[in-house]
Amino acid sequence: MDKSALRNSYLLMRHGESEANEKGIIVSDPKNGCDRFGLTSHGRSQVLAFVQKLCGKPITKIVCSDFLRTLQTAKIVTEILNLPQAELEKGLRERFFGSKEGMSAKHYQKNLSV
């Protein structure tokens, strides 16, 4: 058997612009991100534009975090590509920024310094 035929392929996609992105704030706590701060209309347009490029690709499964912005992104993708509902994986959540929650997104960079 040809081993190359057994290889999996993965496509990584970020959610479209969220309300938190638009406001320039950090939303990394599930208490906030799972129920609020979904996609903006621009974010939905971004997802629609990107997913059009995926039509005809052999995509079989969508996995996303349980944050509202990613659920909304996954819903658009699954509906357009006629795929099963996305699987939720909490391990794909954004890294938790603790006390920086709700603060300006400029604090992301400060937390990324190693």
Side-chain angles (χ1 to χ4, degrees):
M1 181 188 290
D2 180 12
K3 290 184 179 181
S4 66
L6 299 177
R7 292 188 184 157
N8 291 325
S9 295
Y10 299 90
L11 169 72
L12 300 177
M13 179 180 166
R14 186 178 187 272
H15 59 81
E17 179 188 67
S18 71
E19 293 167 343
N21 297 141
E22 184 179 61
K23 292 177 181 183
I25 60 171
I26 295 172
V27 175
S28 62
D29 188 334
K31 293 177 192 169
N32 295 320
C34 289
D35 296 322
R36 299 186 343 221
F37 300 100
L39 295 177
T40 62
S41 60
H42 178 66
R44 284 188 288 283
S45 295
Q46 289 175 317
V47 175
L48 287 168
F50 184 76
V51 80
Q52 296 304 319
K53 299 174 187 177
L54 301 177
C55 291
K57 304 274 186 203
I59 298 171
T60 57
K61 180 181 187 177
I62 304 292
V63 181
C64 67
S65 82
D66 55 350
F67 273 42
L68 183 57
R69 58 190 177 234
T70 62
L71 288 170
Q72 291 172 333
T73 298
K75 186 174 188 327
I76 293 168
V77 175
T78 58
E79 287 177 354
I80 291 175
L81 298 181
N82 197 30
L83 295 171
Q85 184 175 351
E87 285 185 30
L88 298 185
E89 173 53 59
K90 291 180 181 180
L92 293 175
R93 286 177 177 166
E94 179 167 349
R95 181 175 81 172
F96 182 57
F97 284 88
S99 64
K100 305 297 184 211
E101 182 74 11
M103 295 179 79
S104 167
K106 70 182 179 183
H107 292 286
Y108 276 129
Q109 195 59 37
K110 292 178 184 178
N111 279 282
L112 296 177
S113 303
V114 191

